[in-house]
Amino acid sequence: TEYLYAKDLNKALQYMYDNKRYSQLVFYLEACESGSMFSKLLPKNINVYATTASNPTESSYACYFDNKRQTYLGDVYSVNWIEDSDRKDWGKETLLDQFNLVKKETNTSHVMEYGDFNIAGERLGEFQGDKKPSIEVFGGDEVPVVFDAVDSGDVPLHIHQKKVEAARDETEKQILTEQLQRLVDGREFATKHFHQYVNSIKHLVGEQIDTILTQKQELNNRECYQQLVDTFHEKCLNLNENPFVLRKLYIFANVCEELSRGSDVEIKTEDAVDHLVEYCFHNLAKGYQQPIL
């Protein structure tokens, strides 16, 4: 029911370090925009080495679609590092060796590293346990790489499209097609309202509006961002029920960066929160049925 923000994650790691909860810690983070959880936040002196599936502004990619389970079983970044761990001699390979390999093989996003880079020179076995290379976990045969990677944010669309294509019964196909269309309509609905919301902010002009809607700026005003996201979740659309909206939250980051230019940032943030509540009250709260996103 709640979301983990970057500051909270790094605060938790700092607490663990201060209270001697670990000697050294290696963190693999698979998520879209996962680099944003550590960039400019993870200290280099608390014995944590982190790698992420993507940089702060791009998607990660799902892969390995399973027809039986009708879902994607992996993420390109995670599949690459886990399969590397299965195949290599952990007594010889270092974390840096693995990072460089995964960075090269993950051609769908930019794999990143943060924190204490000295740890990267240590053996993989120090963190995953010593073992000899083996492919017995795959039944003795190499598993062919499946080049079916899709943007993680579009996974629901791809899954529903595959279900429609696989359906043999016409009634079932019709039902699935309608479900797919509701997904598309819901996404268009969310996109429309984000555009209308940004255009309704009085002090913004044409070029600023275009930048906010189309570009992903580096987030620095994190307090403002958290207030807008929490407000949207509570007053506008439940993010747990409408996960596509997560793809639009960069707009709040851009709004906050725009507010950061000049003085009275706290006052402007408070006004922005009030305006968001007002927009949602007039456009989303009255007689509104949530779309499937």
Side-chain angles (χ1 to χ4, degrees):
T1 59
E2 297 181 355
Y3 289 89
L4 177 63
Y5 288 92
K7 280 191 173 181
D8 296 329
L9 173 60
N10 287 274
K11 182 179 178 180
L13 292 172
Q14 182 69 55
Y15 173 87
M16 292 170 65
Y17 174 77
D18 293 340
N19 289 273
K20 303 185 187 306
R21 298 297 178 86
Y22 63 86
S23 174
Q24 293 179 322
L25 188 151
V26 174
F27 202 127
Y28 295 82
L29 181 56
E30 170 199 306
C32 294
E33 296 91 29
S34 48
S36 65
M37 297 299 284
F38 296 119
S39 180
K40 296 185 178 181
L41 290 174
L42 180 62
K44 295 183 179 295
N45 61 350
I46 62 171
N47 296 346
V48 174
Y49 175 67
T51 79
T52 63
S54 66
N55 67 27
T57 61
E58 66 185 352
S59 299
S60 63
Y61 279 70
C63 64
Y64 283 129
F65 185 79
D66 185 293
N67 288 308
K68 179 179 179 180
R69 296 166 180 80
Q70 294 188 317
T71 191
Y72 289 89
L73 301 181
D75 173 277
V76 176
Y77 156 79
S78 292
V79 165
N80 283 333
W81 79 255
I82 291 172
E83 290 187 352
D84 175 70
S85 292
D86 281 333
R87 288 173 166 82
K88 295 297 177 62
D89 186 341
W90 296 353
K92 297 179 180 179
E93 186 179 28
T94 67
L95 290 162
L96 181 59
D97 292 334
Q98 184 177 83
F99 170 78
N100 287 331
L101 177 69
V102 173
K103 183 177 181 179
K104 179 181 178 181
E105 293 187 346
T106 306
N107 58 6
T108 50
S109 59
H110 294 85
V111 176
M112 306 296 291
E113 58 180 345
Y114 302 95
D116 186 349
F117 295 160
N118 291 323
I119 295 176
E122 298 185 28
R123 295 183 305 109
L124 202 60
E126 294 293 333
F127 301 91
Q128 297 186 20
D130 286 314
K131 67 179 281 292
K132 294 296 182 182
S134 171
I135 58 171
E136 292 180 1
V137 290
F138 299 112
D141 297 315
E142 291 281 355
V143 174
V145 176
V146 180
F147 295 101
D148 63 347
V150 299
D151 187 315
S152 293
D154 292 332
V155 162
L157 290 178
H158 286 279
I159 289 177
H160 273 76
Q161 184 62 51
K162 289 178 181 292
K163 288 181 178 180
V164 170
E165 294 170 356
R168 295 293 176 262
D169 179 79
E170 286 303 317
T171 300
E172 179 187 12
K173 185 181 287 288
Q174 180 62 31
I175 293 173
L176 291 170
T177 300
E178 291 173 358
Q179 291 177 351
L180 176 61
Q181 188 59 49
R182 284 201 296 273
L183 272 177
V184 173
D185 292 344
R187 287 168 174 239
E188 292 177 351
F189 175 91
T191 299
K192 178 190 74 174
H193 277 288
F194 269 97
H195 280 244
Q196 290 181 357
Y197 157 69
V198 173
N199 277 279
S200 71
I201 301 176
K202 293 182 179 179
H203 74 277
L204 297 179
V205 295
E207 187 174 330
Q208 291 172 306
I209 291 174
D210 290 341
T211 298
I212 288 173
L213 290 173
T214 61
Q215 298 182 18
K216 291 186 177 182
Q217 301 179 52
E218 182 179 17
L219 177 62
N220 294 297
N221 191 352
R222 294 178 182 271
E223 296 301 325
C224 167
Y225 175 74
Q226 183 167 344
Q227 287 186 56
L228 287 179
V229 172
D230 287 346
T231 298
F232 187 88
H233 175 63
E234 294 168 5
K235 303 293 185 180
C236 306
L237 288 176
N238 186 308
L239 297 177
N240 297 315
E241 298 175 3
N242 299 277
F244 171 71
V245 175
L246 295 172
R247 318 297 294 177
K248 298 296 181 179
L249 296 185
Y250 73 89
I251 290 174
F252 290 139
N254 291 345
V255 168
C256 289
E257 292 310 302
E258 190 63 39
L259 294 177
S260 296
R261 298 181 176 93
S263 58
D264 299 325
V265 175
E266 291 184 5
I267 295 176
K268 289 192 291 186
T269 298
E270 185 176 328
D271 290 342
V273 171
D274 289 342
H275 177 70
L276 178 60
V277 172
E278 181 181 1
Y279 177 86
C280 291
F281 176 78
H282 289 294
N283 295 281
L284 296 176
K286 293 182 177 181
Y288 167 65
Q289 292 184 347
Q290 287 184 322
I292 301 173
L293 301 176

